[in-house]
Amino acid sequence: PKPQNPDDVTKIMSKKVTKLPQFKVILVGDSAVGKTSIATRASQDSYDEDSTQSTIGFSFQNIVKEVPNKGIVKLMLWDTAG
């Protein structure tokens, strides 16, 4: 591969890279109380009232949301079995 121009590397390194704040959210509760419905609503902006499928073990989803007056954050949403 062609070596990179040192000036290009300096330009890339000098750019300020902002990392999104990251939060881990774990939904815990009894069986059939709506943990998966909350996770689906947060990640897909939808709700299926006919869904009766139980979570086995856990599932997780990465979500990027904008928080008013705060900026953009990344959520790792863990949905546990009840």
PDB file of all heavy atoms in Angstrom, residues 2 5 33-34 36-37 39 41-42 44 47 58 60 62-63 67 69 71 73 81-82:
ATOM      1  N   LYS A   2       0.314   2.308  -0.572  1.00  0.00           N
ATOM      2  CA  LYS A   2       1.015   3.584  -0.673  1.00  0.00           C
ATOM      3  C   LYS A   2       1.113   4.235   0.708  1.00  0.00           C
ATOM      4  O   LYS A   2       0.119   4.320   1.435  1.00  0.00           O
ATOM      5  CB  LYS A   2       0.243   4.490  -1.625  1.00  0.00           C
ATOM      6  CG  LYS A   2       0.892   5.818  -1.849  1.00  0.00           C
ATOM      7  CD  LYS A   2       0.062   6.635  -2.825  1.00  0.00           C
ATOM      8  CE  LYS A   2       0.634   8.022  -2.935  1.00  0.00           C
ATOM      9  NZ  LYS A   2      -0.184   8.871  -3.777  1.00  0.00           N
ATOM     10  N   ASN A   5       0.781  10.455   3.309  1.00  0.00           N
ATOM     11  CA  ASN A   5       1.495  11.713   3.400  1.00  0.00           C
ATOM     12  C   ASN A   5       1.490  12.152   4.868  1.00  0.00           C
ATOM     13  O   ASN A   5       0.436  12.195   5.506  1.00  0.00           O
ATOM     14  CB  ASN A   5       0.774  12.736   2.518  1.00  0.00           C
ATOM     15  CG  ASN A   5       1.449  14.082   2.521  1.00  0.00           C
ATOM     16  OD1 ASN A   5       2.239  14.405   3.398  1.00  0.00           O
ATOM     17  ND2 ASN A   5       1.128  14.864   1.520  1.00  0.00           N
ATOM     18  N   VAL A  33     -44.566  -8.057  32.268  1.00  0.00           N
ATOM     19  CA  VAL A  33     -44.933  -6.725  32.752  1.00  0.00           C
ATOM     20  C   VAL A  33     -44.686  -5.623  31.722  1.00  0.00           C
ATOM     21  O   VAL A  33     -45.051  -4.479  31.945  1.00  0.00           O
ATOM     22  CB  VAL A  33     -44.218  -6.360  34.072  1.00  0.00           C
ATOM     23  CG1 VAL A  33     -44.658  -7.268  35.197  1.00  0.00           C
ATOM     24  CG2 VAL A  33     -42.716  -6.366  33.899  1.00  0.00           C
ATOM     25  N   GLY A  34     -44.013  -5.959  30.588  1.00  0.00           N
ATOM     26  CA  GLY A  34     -43.845  -4.991  29.522  1.00  0.00           C
ATOM     27  C   GLY A  34     -42.428  -4.513  29.272  1.00  0.00           C
ATOM     28  O   GLY A  34     -42.228  -3.498  28.601  1.00  0.00           O
ATOM     29  N   THR A  36     -40.071  -5.815  27.349  1.00  0.00           N
ATOM     30  CA  THR A  36     -39.789  -5.885  25.914  1.00  0.00           C
ATOM     31  C   THR A  36     -40.559  -4.810  25.162  1.00  0.00           C
ATOM     32  O   THR A  36     -40.045  -4.220  24.204  1.00  0.00           O
ATOM     33  CB  THR A  36     -40.116  -7.282  25.363  1.00  0.00           C
ATOM     34  OG1 THR A  36     -39.322  -8.251  26.074  1.00  0.00           O
ATOM     35  CG2 THR A  36     -39.824  -7.393  23.879  1.00  0.00           C
ATOM     36  N   SER A  37     -41.770  -4.524  25.596  1.00  0.00           N
ATOM     37  CA  SER A  37     -42.557  -3.463  24.951  1.00  0.00           C
ATOM     38  C   SER A  37     -41.879  -2.106  25.106  1.00  0.00           C
ATOM     39  O   SER A  37     -41.852  -1.307  24.170  1.00  0.00           O
ATOM     40  CB  SER A  37     -43.964  -3.410  25.539  1.00  0.00           C
ATOM     41  OG  SER A  37     -44.676  -4.581  25.224  1.00  0.00           O
ATOM     42  N   ALA A  39     -38.609  -1.646  25.525  1.00  0.00           N
ATOM     43  CA  ALA A  39     -37.407  -1.686  24.688  1.00  0.00           C
ATOM     44  C   ALA A  39     -37.754  -1.485  23.218  1.00  0.00           C
ATOM     45  O   ALA A  39     -37.070  -0.740  22.507  1.00  0.00           O
ATOM     46  CB  ALA A  39     -36.676  -3.016  24.883  1.00  0.00           C
ATOM     47  N   ARG A  41     -40.424   0.002  21.977  1.00  0.00           N
ATOM     48  CA  ARG A  41     -40.895   1.387  21.801  1.00  0.00           C
ATOM     49  C   ARG A  41     -39.714   2.355  21.719  1.00  0.00           C
ATOM     50  O   ARG A  41     -39.694   3.268  20.899  1.00  0.00           O
ATOM     51  CB  ARG A  41     -41.822   1.768  22.957  1.00  0.00           C
ATOM     52  CG  ARG A  41     -42.350   3.156  22.877  1.00  0.00           C
ATOM     53  CD  ARG A  41     -43.359   3.280  21.788  1.00  0.00           C
ATOM     54  NE  ARG A  41     -43.982   4.580  21.883  1.00  0.00           N
ATOM     55  CZ  ARG A  41     -44.616   5.161  20.912  1.00  0.00           C
ATOM     56  NH1 ARG A  41     -44.775   4.548  19.765  1.00  0.00           N
ATOM     57  NH2 ARG A  41     -45.123   6.341  21.066  1.00  0.00           N
ATOM     58  N   ALA A  42     -38.705   2.144  22.554  1.00  0.00           N
ATOM     59  CA  ALA A  42     -37.542   3.031  22.567  1.00  0.00           C
ATOM     60  C   ALA A  42     -36.683   2.876  21.320  1.00  0.00           C
ATOM     61  O   ALA A  42     -36.192   3.862  20.774  1.00  0.00           O
ATOM     62  CB  ALA A  42     -36.701   2.760  23.808  1.00  0.00           C
ATOM     63  N   GLN A  44     -37.502   1.133  18.233  1.00  0.00           N
ATOM     64  CA  GLN A  44     -38.148   1.088  16.921  1.00  0.00           C
ATOM     65  C   GLN A  44     -39.324   2.054  16.804  1.00  0.00           C
ATOM     66  O   GLN A  44     -39.963   2.117  15.755  1.00  0.00           O
ATOM     67  CB  GLN A  44     -38.618  -0.330  16.622  1.00  0.00           C
ATOM     68  CG  GLN A  44     -37.492  -1.336  16.607  1.00  0.00           C
ATOM     69  CD  GLN A  44     -37.998  -2.764  16.503  1.00  0.00           C
ATOM     70  OE1 GLN A  44     -39.157  -3.008  16.219  1.00  0.00           O
ATOM     71  NE2 GLN A  44     -37.108  -3.705  16.745  1.00  0.00           N
ATOM     72  N   TYR A  47     -45.173  -0.180  18.783  1.00  0.00           N
ATOM     73  CA  TYR A  47     -45.743  -0.955  19.884  1.00  0.00           C
ATOM     74  C   TYR A  47     -46.710  -1.969  19.298  1.00  0.00           C
ATOM     75  O   TYR A  47     -47.563  -1.622  18.486  1.00  0.00           O
ATOM     76  CB  TYR A  47     -46.480  -0.028  20.866  1.00  0.00           C
ATOM     77  CG  TYR A  47     -47.197  -0.774  21.959  1.00  0.00           C
ATOM     78  CD1 TYR A  47     -46.490  -1.364  22.992  1.00  0.00           C
ATOM     79  CD2 TYR A  47     -48.575  -0.895  21.951  1.00  0.00           C
ATOM     80  CE1 TYR A  47     -47.142  -2.052  23.995  1.00  0.00           C
ATOM     81  CE2 TYR A  47     -49.238  -1.576  22.951  1.00  0.00           C
ATOM     82  CZ  TYR A  47     -48.518  -2.153  23.967  1.00  0.00           C
ATOM     83  OH  TYR A  47     -49.164  -2.841  24.955  1.00  0.00           O
ATOM     84  N   PHE A  58     -31.709 -12.876  27.508  1.00  0.00           N
ATOM     85  CA  PHE A  58     -31.721 -11.419  27.397  1.00  0.00           C
ATOM     86  C   PHE A  58     -31.569 -11.035  25.931  1.00  0.00           C
ATOM     87  O   PHE A  58     -31.176 -11.839  25.092  1.00  0.00           O
ATOM     88  CB  PHE A  58     -30.595 -10.779  28.230  1.00  0.00           C
ATOM     89  CG  PHE A  58     -29.224 -11.099  27.713  1.00  0.00           C
ATOM     90  CD1 PHE A  58     -28.610 -10.282  26.789  1.00  0.00           C
ATOM     91  CD2 PHE A  58     -28.545 -12.226  28.147  1.00  0.00           C
ATOM     92  CE1 PHE A  58     -27.356 -10.579  26.290  1.00  0.00           C
ATOM     93  CE2 PHE A  58     -27.295 -12.543  27.656  1.00  0.00           C
ATOM     94  CZ  PHE A  58     -26.696 -11.710  26.730  1.00  0.00           C
ATOM     95  N   PHE A  60     -30.303  -7.304  23.650  1.00  0.00           N
ATOM     96  CA  PHE A  60     -29.882  -5.923  23.829  1.00  0.00           C
ATOM     97  C   PHE A  60     -29.845  -5.209  22.491  1.00  0.00           C
ATOM     98  O   PHE A  60     -29.723  -5.811  21.436  1.00  0.00           O
ATOM     99  CB  PHE A  60     -28.547  -5.816  24.572  1.00  0.00           C
ATOM    100  CG  PHE A  60     -27.327  -5.973  23.719  1.00  0.00           C
ATOM    101  CD1 PHE A  60     -26.662  -4.864  23.248  1.00  0.00           C
ATOM    102  CD2 PHE A  60     -26.833  -7.225  23.406  1.00  0.00           C
ATOM    103  CE1 PHE A  60     -25.532  -4.992  22.466  1.00  0.00           C
ATOM    104  CE2 PHE A  60     -25.706  -7.372  22.632  1.00  0.00           C
ATOM    105  CZ  PHE A  60     -25.046  -6.255  22.159  1.00  0.00           C
ATOM    106  N   ASN A  62     -28.575  -1.297  20.667  1.00  0.00           N
ATOM    107  CA  ASN A  62     -27.900  -0.006  20.752  1.00  0.00           C
ATOM    108  C   ASN A  62     -28.821   1.044  20.145  1.00  0.00           C
ATOM    109  O   ASN A  62     -29.345   0.858  19.056  1.00  0.00           O
ATOM    110  CB  ASN A  62     -26.578  -0.025  19.986  1.00  0.00           C
ATOM    111  CG  ASN A  62     -25.530  -0.842  20.693  1.00  0.00           C
ATOM    112  OD1 ASN A  62     -25.374  -0.739  21.899  1.00  0.00           O
ATOM    113  ND2 ASN A  62     -24.812  -1.657  19.954  1.00  0.00           N
ATOM    114  N   ILE A  63     -29.009   2.109  20.867  1.00  0.00           N
ATOM    115  CA  ILE A  63     -29.908   3.175  20.436  1.00  0.00           C
ATOM    116  C   ILE A  63     -29.162   4.504  20.546  1.00  0.00           C
ATOM    117  O   ILE A  63     -28.490   4.758  21.541  1.00  0.00           O
ATOM    118  CB  ILE A  63     -31.162   3.230  21.330  1.00  0.00           C
ATOM    119  CG1 ILE A  63     -31.855   1.882  21.377  1.00  0.00           C
ATOM    120  CG2 ILE A  63     -32.109   4.311  20.873  1.00  0.00           C
ATOM    121  CD1 ILE A  63     -32.900   1.787  22.465  1.00  0.00           C
ATOM    122  N   VAL A  67     -31.078  14.056  23.315  1.00  0.00           N
ATOM    123  CA  VAL A  67     -31.683  14.514  24.560  1.00  0.00           C
ATOM    124  C   VAL A  67     -31.783  16.038  24.470  1.00  0.00           C
ATOM    125  O   VAL A  67     -30.767  16.716  24.273  1.00  0.00           O
ATOM    126  CB  VAL A  67     -30.831  14.095  25.776  1.00  0.00           C
ATOM    127  CG1 VAL A  67     -31.433  14.627  27.067  1.00  0.00           C
ATOM    128  CG2 VAL A  67     -30.679  12.587  25.823  1.00  0.00           C
ATOM    129  N   ASN A  69     -31.584  19.797  24.922  1.00  0.00           N
ATOM    130  CA  ASN A  69     -30.672  20.671  25.672  1.00  0.00           C
ATOM    131  C   ASN A  69     -29.408  19.971  26.176  1.00  0.00           C
ATOM    132  O   ASN A  69     -28.665  20.547  26.953  1.00  0.00           O
ATOM    133  CB  ASN A  69     -31.383  21.337  26.860  1.00  0.00           C
ATOM    134  CG  ASN A  69     -32.569  22.150  26.421  1.00  0.00           C
ATOM    135  OD1 ASN A  69     -32.528  22.831  25.410  1.00  0.00           O
ATOM    136  ND2 ASN A  69     -33.649  22.064  27.166  1.00  0.00           N
ATOM    137  N   GLY A  71     -27.766  17.101  23.988  1.00  0.00           N
ATOM    138  CA  GLY A  71     -27.020  16.548  22.862  1.00  0.00           C
ATOM    139  C   GLY A  71     -27.434  15.118  22.557  1.00  0.00           C
ATOM    140  O   GLY A  71     -28.502  14.656  22.938  1.00  0.00           O
ATOM    141  N   VAL A  73     -26.834  10.999  22.760  1.00  0.00           N
ATOM    142  CA  VAL A  73     -26.284   9.957  23.633  1.00  0.00           C
ATOM    143  C   VAL A  73     -26.521   8.584  23.012  1.00  0.00           C
ATOM    144  O   VAL A  73     -27.411   8.412  22.185  1.00  0.00           O
ATOM    145  CB  VAL A  73     -26.913   9.981  25.048  1.00  0.00           C
ATOM    146  CG1 VAL A  73     -26.608  11.280  25.759  1.00  0.00           C
ATOM    147  CG2 VAL A  73     -28.389   9.727  25.000  1.00  0.00           C
ATOM    148  N   ALA A  81     -34.997 -11.479  30.735  1.00  0.00           N
ATOM    149  CA  ALA A  81     -36.153 -12.361  30.926  1.00  0.00           C
ATOM    150  C   ALA A  81     -36.690 -12.152  32.336  1.00  0.00           C
ATOM    151  O   ALA A  81     -35.942 -11.914  33.273  1.00  0.00           O
ATOM    152  CB  ALA A  81     -35.750 -13.811  30.713  1.00  0.00           C
ATOM    153  N   GLY A  82     -38.016 -12.238  32.492  1.00  0.00           N
ATOM    154  CA  GLY A  82     -38.625 -12.014  33.803  1.00  0.00           C
ATOM    155  C   GLY A  82     -38.884 -13.237  34.478  1.00  0.00           C
ATOM    156  O   GLY A  82     -38.766 -14.084  35.078  1.00  0.00           O
TER     157      GLY A  82
END
